[in-house]
Amino acid sequence: MADQQEASITLPSDPASVSVARRYVTDVVSEWGLPAGSETVDTVRLIVSELTTNAVQHTFGQSPTFTVDLTLERDEELRIGVTDSHPRWPQRLPAAVRQDNGRGMVIIRSLTAQSGGRLSVTPTPEGGKTVWIALPWTAAVRN
C-alpha cells in the first residue's frame, strides 16, 4: 500500500448532502480495507453524519458547500476532515445540556475518544475551518 491514500468530496450545504457524504465515506473506507460490518465503520458513519449535519445547519447559509477529506496515512491513522467556509468554530457544550439540537460535537467528541482518536479544528486560508478527526486504523482493520 502507498504511504498515503486520499479521497475528497465537495457537496452543497443542503440536508440531502449528509446521506451522500455518509455513503461516500463508507464506500471509501471499505475500499481501503475497513470491514463493512465493523463497529468502526458504524463509528465513522456516525461521526461523518454529525460533522456534515453541523456543516449544513450551523453555517447559517454562509457556506454554500462543504468538503469531506479522507486521508489514510501508512495504514496507521484515518483522518476525516469536514471543511466549511463559515468563520464560527464549534462550541463546546457541557455534557449536561438538555436540548434537542447542538449535541453533535458532544457525540463526535465521545465517539472519537472511545475509539482512541483525537479531534482538532484548524482555520482555512479563506476564513472558514476544518474539523478533523483522527482515528487509529490498524486496530480498526483487525476488529
Side-chain angles (χ1 to χ4, degrees), residues 1-139:
M1 171 185 237
D3 279 350
Q4 184 168 301
Q5 293 188 70
E6 296 177 333
S8 181
I9 188 170
T10 298
L11 297 165
S13 291
D14 179 270
S17 295
V18 173
S19 62
V20 174
R22 241 187 347 250
R23 190 170 41 258
Y24 175 79
V25 169
T26 301
D27 290 349
V28 169
V29 297
S30 293
E31 286 175 21
W32 290 349
L34 196 60
S38 71
E39 183 178 319
T40 303
V41 167
D42 291 340
T43 298
V44 167
R45 185 182 301 113
L46 184 51
I47 287 172
V48 168
S49 184
E50 292 296 332
L51 287 173
T52 56
T53 297
N54 285 353
V56 170
Q57 289 184 344
H58 299 296
T59 59
F60 309 106
Q62 294 183 29
S63 182
T65 63
F66 66 88
T67 300
V68 179
D69 292 301
L70 300 168
T71 305
L72 177 58
E73 297 178 10
R74 296 179 302 282
D75 265 355
E76 294 175 7
E77 182 176 75
L78 174 65
R79 289 179 43 88
I80 305 164
V82 176
T83 303
D84 65 61
S85 57
H86 192 279
R88 182 171 173 229
W89 285 29
Q91 304 299 304
R92 182 183 279 272
L93 294 175
V97 170
R98 301 271 187 239
Q99 61 187 46
D100 292 338
N101 61 17
R103 305 277 302 176
M105 287 307 293
V106 173
I107 294 167
I108 293 164
R109 287 179 200 283
S110 176
L111 288 170
T112 301
Q114 289 173 12
S115 299
R118 62 189 189 284
L119 179 144
S120 61
V121 183
T122 57
T124 64
E126 300 79 27
K129 81 278 189 188
T130 303
V131 180
W132 289 102
I133 303 296
L135 301 172
W137 181 261
T138 47

